[in-house]
Amino acid sequence: MSLNLSNIPSKEIMPGYHGKLVHSQHMSIAFWEVKKDAIVPEHAHMNEQIMHVMEGDFEFTLDGDTKVYGPGDIVIIAPHQKHSGKALTDCKLLDVFSPTREEYR
């Protein structure tokens, strides 16, 4: 299977988080466009996650440790690890989840 990002519809998963989502049997990838001041409340999930900040400044808290990440920064989030975030500017983020993030289908 092959896809083109421009042909994938965007879904607003939570306020200010618009994602183009791709799923395979064992993983999901999310291309996010995030509006300034949009918040992801603290949560945890069974999926391992890798977050890559492609554009903008994103404040991210992982197990109580808060840092601001910018273009090129990558964060690895273990399964069940509490995390939250806030876009300090408009952002573009890339998230990879394993296993597949079924609730995003």
Side-chain angles (χ1 to χ4, degrees):
M1 174 185 2
S2 64
L3 301 168
N4 187 293
L5 194 58
S6 65
N7 296 328
I8 299 171
S10 180
K11 296 180 186 177
E12 188 172 27
I13 299 296
M14 61 188 77
Y17 284 79
H18 300 269
K20 292 188 174 202
L21 306 160
V22 178
H23 308 282
S24 69
Q25 184 176 356
H26 299 289
M27 59 197 294
S28 295
I29 187 167
F31 300 87
W32 300 108
E33 291 197 12
V34 184
K35 295 292 181 190
K36 180 182 177 192
D37 296 324
I39 293 173
V40 174
E42 185 177 66
H43 67 287
H45 42 72
M46 63 169 273
N47 313 78
E48 182 175 33
Q49 177 180 352
I50 299 173
M51 178 185 73
H52 172 215
V53 179
M54 298 187 309
E55 293 180 17
D57 293 314
F58 193 73
E59 181 181 86
F60 191 73
T61 302
L62 185 62
D63 277 343
D65 184 25
T66 302
K67 296 181 181 175
V68 175
Y69 295 94
D73 287 330
I74 295 170
V75 180
I76 298 172
I77 303 127
H80 308 289
Q81 198 170 24
K82 290 183 179 180
H83 55 286
S84 61
K86 179 181 178 181
L88 301 179
T89 64
D90 287 346
C91 293
K92 288 188 179 179
L93 308 176
L94 174 68
D95 280 334
V96 178
F97 300 95
S98 180
T100 304
R101 194 76 193 259
E102 293 296 338
E103 65 272 31
Y104 285 176
R105 283 195 187 266

